[in-house]
Amino acid sequence: MKMSGVNIHEDNDLNDLIDDHRPPKPLEMENLTGNNNNPHPVAFMGNKLCALLGLISMLMDSHPAISYTVVALLLLFLVTSMVMHSASIRNERKMDPRIKHDYSDVQSVYDLKLGSIDHWCIYGGDDGCTCDDPLEGTSHAERRGWIKTHKKNLERIDQTFSDNREIDVAFIGDSITEGWTGQSLGHNSTAFAGVPAIFEKFFSKDGGADYEGIALGISGDTSPNLLWRLQHNEMSWYWNPRVWWVTIGINDMMRTGCSEEVTLIGIIRIVEEIQVRQPGSIIVVNGLLPTSAMTLGKGEGLPGEEKAGNKQKHKLGQRKFLSKSVISVNDELKKFCDKNPTVKYFEPSGVFMNDEGKIDNKLMADGVHPTKQGYNEWAKAIVLKLEKLIATTNDFMGGDDFYYGSDPLGDDFFPSDDYS
């Protein structure tokens, strides 16, 4: 039979469609989801959309009074979901903790360029954080008790002269360092109860220790805050500790929302300041302590710290776990220290993390600050580091009299061995 010039008996495809009585193939998950062997996942998704549109059409025919409201809500939900998913992908890319630029060859503050920073804020981009210039000292005087605590630190330094104490190691930093004194912003804190006795045991010769130490920390400080303090007499030309032990940086990310790169620059800037003012001293950069904490929201404070004066302006709803950020910053700090003969790196994860690679809650209960037991274990590890460093410098100097001032032997004065 002919129909419009086409022989339907010769059209095998049409016959197959009409005459094929084979049972349908069973539904398989890969065919439904478009995974594995399904060659048409897009078509399947299109069929789902057609089915959804068909249901909407039926609803509009049967219930016209409510159908338009339902359709509008559904479209709003779909658009919102697409926008949120797209934003999530963008944020994930922006919040990559890896630092793109190499700072290991920095030799002076003039090598640090703000223009090369990839992004200022830990959430990505340059907006939504209160990050200070990492190259300039910044006072935190607006925070209640900050200036008073700074003055207490100056009094501690003056007391070393009155007592005729030669300082082997000066600990400088934030609340983690102030914790050695048992205080937070100059006030006794139960969070650090018993810690001063540990400091006395390990870093006071009157208490039987081999080394004399001093702790100069202020709760909540960032690297620019510490830099300001050093520039305002917490480090002077006439006061010369053998070793400067730097523990700073966590607040740069947690409090002010600085990116990992800006945090790294701020710490290196501290090192450069000490090298210029105290070229004969050893500097130990204590890596950022492992943490389970997140960036803070508006009005929040660190565990164990008061909340007064905290004026965060982080993006609404954005929080970020800092564990990977800490690792990223520490990796770059170690590279920097490895290339600088008078700067040594101290890795804290071996103290505060267990064999499973997790924070030991007995040593760091709040995920930020060491416990009393944590300070004790940390002190032991610090002493081991000091033994190697000071013994090495004594060998080069021919005795216990340490040279204060410019380095007479040049860049090769200290060996390049890693004393981690």
Side-chain angles (χ1 to χ4, degrees):
M1 181 180 69
K2 298 279 186 180
M3 184 178 293
S4 301
V6 178
N7 186 347
I8 64 172
H9 295 293
E10 295 177 357
D11 192 339
N12 293 329
D13 291 337
L14 182 60
N15 288 334
D16 289 341
L17 290 174
I18 297 174
D19 299 331
D20 190 1
H21 301 294
R22 291 174 296 176
K25 293 182 179 180
L27 293 177
E28 297 178 354
M29 183 58 66
E30 56 267 24
N31 293 328
L32 290 175
T33 60
N35 295 333
N36 300 330
N37 298 323
N38 180 15
H40 303 296
V42 176
F44 173 72
M45 294 301 296
N47 291 337
K48 289 175 64 178
L49 181 60
C50 290
L52 178 60
L53 293 175
L55 290 174
I56 293 174
S57 178
M58 292 175 59
L59 178 63
M60 294 180 69
D61 290 338
S62 59
H63 299 86
I66 63 171
S67 60
Y68 290 104
T69 301
V70 173
V71 170
L73 292 174
L74 180 60
L75 290 176
L76 178 61
F77 173 77
L78 291 174
V79 171
T80 303
S81 298
M82 293 174 63
V83 170
M84 291 180 65
H85 180 66
S86 177
S88 176
I89 293 175
R90 289 197 302 270
N91 285 335
E92 184 176 349
R93 291 172 179 171
K94 289 179 180 179
M95 293 168 71
D96 186 343
R98 291 173 294 183
I99 298 172
K100 297 180 180 179
H101 299 106
D102 183 7
Y103 291 89
S104 62
D105 292 320
V106 170
Q107 297 296 318
S108 76
V109 65
Y110 302 107
D111 295 330
L112 298 171
K113 308 294 183 182
L114 299 182
S116 65
I117 294 174
D118 184 72
H119 57 278
W120 278 73
C121 299
I122 200 166
Y123 306 105
D126 300 330
D127 299 321
C129 60
T130 58
C131 194
D132 293 317
D133 183 342
L135 302 183
E136 298 293 333
T138 303
S139 170
H140 205 175
E142 75 279 2
R143 191 176 190 207
R144 186 177 62 195
W146 191 83
I147 287 294
K148 182 179 179 180
T149 309
H150 168 55
K151 290 181 178 179
K152 278 191 174 183
N153 286 344
L154 297 181
E155 291 172 2
R156 289 189 179 99
I157 294 172
D158 290 341
Q159 191 65 41
T160 65
F161 290 100
S162 300
D163 298 341
N164 197 27
R165 292 161 52 207
E166 292 186 3
I167 300 300
D168 294 304
V169 54
F171 297 94
I172 57 175
D174 48 35
S175 59
I176 297 171
T177 299
E178 190 180 5
W180 287 118
T181 68
Q183 297 184 333
S184 177
L185 281 175
H187 298 282
N188 292 333
S189 172
T190 57
F192 304 118
V195 176
I198 296 173
F199 191 83
E200 181 82 7
K201 175 183 176 181
F202 288 96
F203 306 112
S204 172
K205 291 183 178 180
D206 289 341
D210 293 328
Y211 304 105
E212 191 71 32
I214 186 172
L216 305 172
I218 297 185
S219 172
D221 266 10
T222 61
S223 296
N225 298 149
L226 176 56
L227 179 60
W228 187 95
R229 291 196 282 122
L230 295 179
Q231 293 171 338
H232 290 78
N233 298 325
E234 288 194 32
M235 178 176 62
S236 62
W237 300 102
Y238 56 85
W239 188 62
N240 303 282
R242 289 188 175 195
V243 177
W244 291 87
W245 196 284
V246 182
T247 307
I248 197 72
I250 190 63
N251 288 320
D252 298 59
M253 295 187 291
M254 184 179 293
R255 277 192 177 276
T256 58
C258 295
S259 68
E260 294 83 358
E261 183 175 8
V262 174
T263 300
L264 173 68
I265 291 174
I267 299 171
I268 294 176
R269 176 67 180 89
I270 296 292
V271 172
E272 296 302 323
E273 185 73 14
I274 299 173
Q275 287 183 319
V276 169
R277 289 172 173 254
Q278 302 281 341
S281 297
I282 308 171
I283 303 169
V284 177
V285 177
N286 199 109
L288 301 181
L289 270 59
T291 181
S292 59
M294 300 175 71
T295 52
L296 301 181
K298 185 176 181 181
E300 293 181 289
L302 291 175
E305 296 182 356
E306 61 181 55
K307 300 180 182 179
N310 190 17
K311 299 179 180 179
Q312 303 311 336
K313 298 179 181 178
H314 299 337
K315 294 180 179 179
L316 182 62
Q318 281 193 324
R319 303 289 296 276
K320 180 178 180 179
F321 282 105
L322 294 175
S323 55
K324 292 182 179 179
S325 299
V326 164
I327 294 173
S328 177
V329 173
N330 286 350
D331 285 346
E332 298 304 316
L333 284 174
K334 188 175 188 305
K335 293 177 185 178
F336 168 75
C337 294
D338 286 345
K339 291 188 177 182
N340 196 316
T342 62
V343 184
K344 299 301 177 181
Y345 177 75
F346 177 86
E347 176 55 59
S349 62
V351 176
F352 296 101
M353 301 186 77
N354 58 29
D355 294 338
E356 298 176 355
K358 298 180 180 180
I359 294 176
D360 189 334
N361 293 330
K362 295 180 180 178
L363 305 181
M364 186 180 284
D366 65 11
V368 178
H369 303 90
T371 60
K372 178 182 176 181
Q373 183 179 348
Y375 274 104
N376 190 74
E377 296 303 314
W378 188 23
K380 292 178 183 178
I382 291 173
V383 167
L384 291 176
K385 183 84 168 182
L386 291 175
E387 287 176 352
K388 296 176 181 178
L389 292 177
I390 293 181
T392 302
T393 57
N394 284 342
D395 288 343
F396 273 85
M397 298 312 303
D400 291 335
D401 293 329
F402 191 76
Y403 181 83
Y404 297 130
S406 59
D407 182 358
L409 302 181
D411 290 341
D412 295 329
F413 176 69
F414 295 104
S416 59
D417 296 330
D418 182 16
Y419 292 103
S420 299

